[in-house]
Amino acid sequence: MPTRDLTFAIVGSGGDGVITTGDMLAQAGASVGLHVMKVEAYGPQIRGGESSCTVRVSADPIFAQGDLVQVLVIFNWADFAQFRGEILAAPDAVVLYEATDDSPREGIDLGPDTADVRWVPVPFIELAKESAGTKLAKNIVTLGLLSELFNLPKDPLERAIKGKFAKKKPEVLEANLKGFAAGMAHAAEIEDAAAGKRMQYTPGEPMLLMSGNELSAVAALHAGCRFFAGYPITPSSEVLHLLSELMPKAGGYLVQTEDELAAIGAVIGGSFAGVKSMTATSGPGLALMTEMLGLASMAEIPAVIIDVQRGGPSTGLPTKSEQSDLWQALWGSHGDAPRVVLAPADVEDCFHATVAAFNIAEEAQVPVIVLSDQFIAQRRETLSMLTLDHEVRGRQVPSAGDLRDYKRYKETKSGISPMSWPGMKGGEYQTNGLEHTEDGSPTSMHLTHEKMNAKRYRKLRLVRDKDSDYRHYGAERADVGLICWGSSEGPVMEAVLMANGRGERGSACVPQLLYPFPYHEFQDYIKTVREVVVVELSYSAQFYKYLQTFLDLPEGHTYVFKRSGGKNLTVGEVEDKIQKVLEMSAMRREVLV
């Protein structure tokens, strides 16, 4: 039978063109209106080493990357072994592997049940040499083979190949097109391998295919950011790379600094000068920025920091995702240093969360940390351009009356006082990292420090009341309710929808605003569920312990699913937890009866 949903995975060494193959598959699917999610993974090496790319293609909306792979392409078994436990094959998967690869397969873990896997040797290298004159074209041969075997859009794939090699010599393009044709021709020899796995779909309008990092960069420009300072660090570097191209075209400025300390210092300086400013980093870089974040809090200077989380601590897992920077983002400071923390939940949400971060930073004059992670920042996902719109707000500037006796840190009911910029007549004031009076003069008086702390924290109430965005999925009243954050949303959402499709009552709550804590929204949600499950990729259960700080989670009815990162959360893991909690809940009710 044909299928409407297929997940492909390609594994090989650096230089095998694994990621390029995935990119072209994803682009081709998006160009004909298919829903696509593409995830890539690498070893920690600077050059070479293993790499993999997983592409899920569906005629229906999707929210997760796909737990099990239906079509697996392996150029080298030794490279595949490096992804043990991360890439798992469906019981009836098709495994296309290099026929000449004689590396040992002992101990290779394809998954819990591989009884019906179809093992298909393919001479990728030989086909590439014969058709294109080089083994480097084996990834293009693969594209031709996959397109013919599984009914993927061929014309868009050819266009993708032409686009990839457009700047090369004509003979290079011609050779790769021959490789593509050779792959298609070879499909006839192994067509039985694809039985029941040919895609069935009706072509539709093209969709955008973008990554979370790309949308964070685009969102910054949409929000009015005109200064970016940053230092490259995996997995956030694409924000810097894209803005280096786009920022000058928008009339802005970009600086690659010598380190993260200089980056956050430059951002604070740019914002002090009246320009919306931003940086992007990962956990180690955020740690270096901690002292400067205190300066932004004390001096009440807007700043947006995107932290694309990766496995830690230290250098940790630089190419893998984890949700373990939460405590650092929330509490990493010296003294009482108010900040706002937001968490995008998917690729599109990287756009909305970044614009929201600028709105909050500018209005409340606080640093705002956007906690993205590698899973959503570097994966590519289809979306509609029509959804990329978000209200843009700015900072409060002094009126003529304010400037007659300007007090930069004037105490107000909201805690927000108008902010001038250098050169504004009458808007001159003194500022630094010292505690200060309303006009900015340094002071060490206890009473003034208490008053100013209260002023700075009072602003967070406004943020909580105005920007507390959270999502609710599933039943209005549920037997089991899941609370998660960030990129865990997709697998949780898909698991909840599947559970409800079976007649079970499940729901999920996913906040975008993490701090200030949206207490009322969480409290109201908990009242609608019988059992609570907290889901996160943090070995120390940072999110669960954070919730405990503010909420009275129902004793005896609260469960935690937590583990280390390094492998993205799967729908199956969440489903298993839902089933176990429902079973325990049913047993408890039987005992009570």
Side-chain angles (χ1 to χ4, degrees), residues 47 206 430:
R47 290 181 63 86
Q430 180 179 350

Side-chain angles (χ1 to χ4, degrees), residues 242-553:
L242 185 55
L243 284 177
S244 69
E245 298 177 19
L246 300 182
M247 186 65 81
K249 296 177 183 178
Y253 300 88
L254 180 141
V255 176
Q256 180 175 319
T257 56
E258 64 269 30
D259 54 33
E260 289 86 354
L261 289 86
I264 187 62
V267 165
I268 291 172
S271 183
F272 172 74
V275 178
K276 291 184 178 182
S277 304
M278 180 182 84
T279 189
T281 188
S282 191
L286 183 64
L288 294 174
M289 295 179 182
T290 299
E291 183 178 357
M292 282 287 190
L293 285 175
L295 173 61
S297 297
M298 175 63 82
E300 300 187 41
I301 297 175
V304 173
I305 304 98
I306 295 177
D307 173 16
V308 184
Q309 300 170 94
R310 67 191 206 184
S314 189
T315 314
L317 305 175
T319 61
K320 302 290 184 69
S321 197
E322 197 165 76
Q323 294 181 297
S324 53
D325 283 358
L326 180 61
W327 285 352
Q328 178 180 211
L330 294 168
W331 316 124
S333 69
H334 54 286
D336 296 312
R339 80 279 302 274
V340 173
V341 180
L342 303 176
D346 55 35
V347 169
E348 180 187 324
D349 207 27
C350 288
F351 177 87
H352 299 294
T354 302
V355 180
F358 276 100
N359 289 344
I360 294 168
E362 294 293 317
E363 283 192 333
Q365 300 167 22
V366 293
V368 179
I369 299 172
V370 181
L371 272 182
S372 177
D373 63 44
Q374 186 273 338
F375 183 34
I376 55 176
Q378 292 190 317
R379 86 181 186 213
R380 299 177 75 81
E381 193 174 318
T382 45
L383 63 148
S384 169
M385 185 182 297
L386 299 177
T387 63
L388 298 184
D389 190 26
H390 198 104
E391 175 193 15
V392 175
R393 307 194 298 264
R395 70 183 64 172
Q396 182 181 346
V397 297
S399 65
D402 294 325
L403 293 173
R404 280 194 287 271
D405 181 23
Y406 184 53
K407 289 184 172 59
R408 165 66 185 97
Y409 301 107
K410 182 178 180 180
E411 187 173 10
T412 63
K413 184 178 181 181
S414 66
I416 299 171
S417 42
M419 183 178 181
S420 66
W421 57 81
M424 180 181 290
K425 188 175 181 180
E428 301 86 0
Y429 67 96
Q430 180 179 350
T431 190
N432 51 46
L434 292 169
E435 187 56 280
H436 44 255
T437 60
E438 288 185 292
D439 65 3
S441 299
T443 180
S444 59
M445 286 184 61
H446 156 71
L447 292 177
T448 304
H449 184 47
E450 178 74 7
K451 182 176 76 171
M452 284 298 170
N453 263 331
K455 173 192 184 300
R456 290 188 286 269
Y457 272 90
R458 199 154 58 238
K459 295 184 289 186
L460 298 184
R461 298 179 192 168
L462 179 66
V463 174
R464 185 187 62 197
D465 295 341
K466 189 174 183 179
D467 294 280
S468 184
D469 181 20
Y470 85 108
R471 294 79 186 268
H472 178 280
Y473 303 107
E476 287 299 319
R477 305 198 70 82
D479 292 323
V480 58
L482 289 85
I483 301 176
C484 69
W485 70 281
S487 64
S488 295
E489 179 200 57
V492 165
M493 181 179 174
E494 197 158 301
V496 166
L497 294 176
M498 292 172 69
N500 288 346
R502 293 191 298 266
E504 299 160 355
R505 290 193 305 166
S507 66
C509 170
V510 188
Q512 184 186 87
L513 178 69
L514 297 180
Y515 189 81
F517 188 75
Y519 173 82
H520 298 293
E521 287 82 354
F522 273 118
Q523 200 64 41
D524 290 344
Y525 174 72
I526 289 173
K527 292 175 183 176
T528 69
V529 300
R530 177 178 280 119
E531 312 288 346
V532 175
V533 180
V534 181
V535 179
E536 60 180 306
L537 290 187
S538 160
Y539 183 82
S540 58
Q542 293 184 19
F543 185 52
Y544 167 65
K545 292 171 183 175
Y546 175 53
L547 294 177
Q548 285 184 305
T549 304
F550 293 94
L551 292 175
D552 291 324
L553 294 169

